[in-house]
Amino acid sequence: YCIARSAFTLAETLITLGIIGVVAAITIPNLMTAYKAQRFRSQFLKSYSTLQQVVKRMVAEEVSTEASSYASNTFYKEFQKFITGSTDCGSYLQGVKVSPVCHYSHREKGYKAYNKKTDAYIHYFDDGILAMPDGTSLYFENHIQLGNDSSIRTPMIFISVDINGYNVKPNVWGIDMFTFQLVEGELLPMGAKGTFFTDENVYCNPESSNDKNGIACAVKAKDDTEYFKRVLK
């Protein structure tokens, strides 16, 4: 006798594959974005922690972290003494070295502001460059910052970090490049209270065309667990 066997028809199989394809098309991009966002956040937090530890060691060993103690292009060399395995890539005044890990120079238009269209204000990256053993890049600025009143001159030290390195895009301030400021012996994410750039409408706004747009996004990246999911969409 014959035993009846059930099976899918070709039409049913095609419909099922179509449904799977639609679901995959919807979910896979979201999963990829979530994975990338988590990776960026982990890199950001790791970089911030590394920089904080260096600053704490400097303070513990009574090495000055005050901007007024350093001439331009000198603070980063002191900072490097507390980082094992980093490469001194030079500075604008001294000349940026050419090597597999040192690529960025003051004249290159390598970074974009947060709106992804405007060239970033590269003058905040030119007082020393360090290539880190984990592939990240550090850019230093030790300068006299003019306030709203041009007669007010305040020494400041900024440290910017490209969390995935110059050779890996997007190279955008506020997405994979973040800036921190030394304030009274503490390293604060730019945008935090006490730092110089706190106006998010100008300095962390995808609609702003200011060439420093993105510099104040570091505090959001630190405090908002969903930050990278939004900026990577």
Side-chain angles (χ1 to χ4, degrees), residues 113 158 182 201 207 232:
F158 300 157
L182 275 169
N201 289 327
E207 303 302 321
L232 291 172

Side-chain angles (χ1 to χ4, degrees), residues 66-201:
E66 295 297 322
S68 57
S69 300
Y70 298 92
S72 295
N73 300 272
T74 60
F75 172 77
Y76 90 100
K77 289 182 176 293
E78 193 67 41
F79 194 88
Q80 188 188 23
K81 294 177 183 178
F82 295 85
I83 302 177
T84 302
S86 62
T87 301
D88 181 352
C89 294
S91 66
Y92 171 53
L93 291 179
Q94 300 164 342
V96 176
K97 299 174 183 177
V98 178
S99 78
V101 294
C102 300
H103 295 278
Y104 185 76
S105 77
H106 184 271
R107 297 300 181 189
E108 291 181 38
K109 300 292 185 178
Y111 288 95
K112 294 292 184 182
Y114 190 51
N115 66 0
K116 302 179 183 178
K117 299 176 183 178
T118 306
D119 288 329
Y121 185 77
I122 57 177
H123 301 283
Y124 281 171
F125 308 152
D126 64 359
D127 281 346
I129 304 170
L130 296 178
M132 301 287 279
D134 63 0
T136 60
S137 302
L138 302 182
Y139 303 94
F140 293 79
E141 181 63 21
N142 178 196
H143 73 303
I144 303 296
Q145 176 67 51
L146 295 177
N148 294 328
D149 178 352
S150 60
S151 66
I152 301 175
R153 301 171 67 85
T154 307
M156 295 188 182
I157 292 177
F158 300 157
I159 304 175
S160 298
V161 54
D162 185 334
I163 61 175
N164 53 12
Y166 178 74
N167 288 325
V168 182
K169 294 188 180 301
N171 290 345
V172 175
W173 225 344
I175 296 182
D176 61 348
M177 166 74 92
F178 295 92
T179 300
F180 304 88
Q181 181 180 342
L182 275 169
V183 180
E184 297 180 354
E186 184 178 359
L187 190 71
L188 299 180
M190 192 68 79
K193 184 178 179 180
T195 60
F196 193 81
F197 294 100
T198 58
D199 188 345
E200 294 180 1
N201 289 327

